[in-house]
Every structure is written in C-alpha cells, then in structure tokens.
Amino acid sequence: MFKPHLDKYGTEFPHWESAVARFKAAHNQSEVARSIGTQPQLWINKLSPEQSGEPTVKNVIAAARVTGDCTLVHGLLLELDMAGIALPKSNHQGDEQPLTSQALEITATAGELARDAISAQQAGRVCQQRRDNAVSKATAMMGALALFVHNVESRFHAIPGMTVAFDTLTTSAVPGIS
C-alpha cells in the first residue's frame, strides 16, 4: 500500500510542486485556461497548493500542448523517479545538422551542468532559480541526446550498405581497424 513520504522540506511531492510553481511563473494562467477550454479561476485554483483540487491528467496534457511547455509532465514523472523527453515529430527522417555538431552541443550542455554543479558545491547551497535552470538544462540535454540517437539510427538505416560496412569494420579482426 502507498505510504506518503515527506521530504526534508515537509512536502509530499516536491517535484510536482516545483513544476507547478515554474509553470505558473512562465505562463499567463488565464490564457492557458481559456486555451484548454476551462474557466480561468478554476484552472488557477487547481494549480494552487492552498486549494483541494488538482489538475486532471487531461488538463496537464492540454496545458502542455497549448503552451509547448512540458514542465508539469516532467514534474509528474520525476515524482516516479522517471524522466521524459520529447520525441522527434518526423516521418523518420533525421535532422540535417551534422552528427558532430549535435554531439558537440550535447557535450557543451554537459559541461555547463558540470560547471554549475562545481559552483553549487563550492557555495554549499543552491537557490531555487539555479536548481530550476539545472533541471531545464538537463532535460533539454536528454532530449538532444535522444534526438542524436534517433538521427544516428535514421542515417544508418537509410543507407543499409553503409551500416553493413560499418559493422564489418568494427567487428572484424583486421589489425589497426578495430
């Protein structure tokens, strides 16, 4: 049976509450409510920790679709020790950007995260804004990494002969090649 747990700040769902706060700060909630077809005050109440109501799954999905912001979805997933990434909306065609450029962007973001972690460790604390920025960077990096994998797959599947040749070279016992 589920037993609620409280984190060190006394909240049961810290990732969700943080995601709601970030989403509320990033968007005009009256406009979001109208876009998803609900009354503005009802939507605002659903996002308020002082109120007993909560957004439904359909509300969260609709809000993510109309704003293009998946912060609420990410907050839900983090409560389950999971992370989500946006999948490419394509007909299985890869990005035209060179793979090396994509890999460098991913590496640069990882470097930024490492620098932020070192800075936080030296300071001995992390403010809410820095934490939110780190979560956003890490989530974006996971998405970029997923797109990178998608692009590698689509490029090598698009040219089967190249895939076979690459596999042959990397698995062969030819000296100096493997």
Side-chain angles (χ1 to χ4, degrees):
M1 172 155 217
F2 173 73
K3 291 184 180 178
H5 68 282
L6 299 179
D7 73 352
K8 64 182 178 179
Y9 303 108
T11 181
E12 189 175 345
F13 300 108
H15 301 294
W16 169 251
E17 292 170 13
S18 174
V20 168
R22 291 191 316 271
F23 187 82
K24 285 169 51 175
H27 305 283
N28 178 322
Q29 297 308 312
S30 294
E31 289 177 12
V32 172
R34 283 189 280 280
S35 296
I36 66 173
T38 191
Q39 297 295 320
Q41 192 57 53
L42 178 62
W43 175 248
I44 291 166
N45 288 348
K46 285 182 176 187
L47 293 179
S48 176
E50 295 83 31
Q51 301 292 324
S52 61
E54 296 271 338
T56 65
V57 172
K58 289 180 181 180
N59 291 150
V60 171
I61 293 169
R65 284 182 177 163
V66 301
T67 62
D69 181 350
C70 292
T71 300
L72 296 175
V73 176
H74 293 301
L76 288 170
L77 290 173
L78 284 170
E79 288 299 340
L80 299 171
D81 297 325
M82 299 172 74
I85 54 166
L87 297 175
K89 293 180 181 175
S90 69
N91 56 355
H92 303 289
Q93 299 298 313
D95 189 349
E96 295 302 318
Q97 185 181 19
L99 291 176
T100 52
S101 297
Q102 293 176 38
L104 286 171
E105 286 180 27
I106 293 166
T107 304
T109 303
E112 290 175 22
L113 285 168
R115 183 185 62 229
D116 292 348
I118 291 168
S119 174
Q121 185 177 24
Q122 290 172 343
R125 61 184 173 81
V126 177
C127 68
Q128 184 72 32
Q129 183 180 11
R130 274 192 146 175
R131 180 186 153 302
D132 293 346
N133 286 340
V135 169
S136 294
K137 278 183 197 175
T139 303
M141 187 179 83
M142 288 187 308
L145 191 55
L147 289 173
F148 179 78
V149 169
H150 175 265
N151 291 335
V152 168
E153 285 285 324
S154 66
R155 288 181 191 188
F156 285 112
H157 284 206
I159 310 168
M162 186 173 199
T163 304
V164 172
F166 183 75
D167 288 345
T168 303
L169 285 174
T170 58
T171 59
S172 66
V174 178
I177 297 209
S178 52

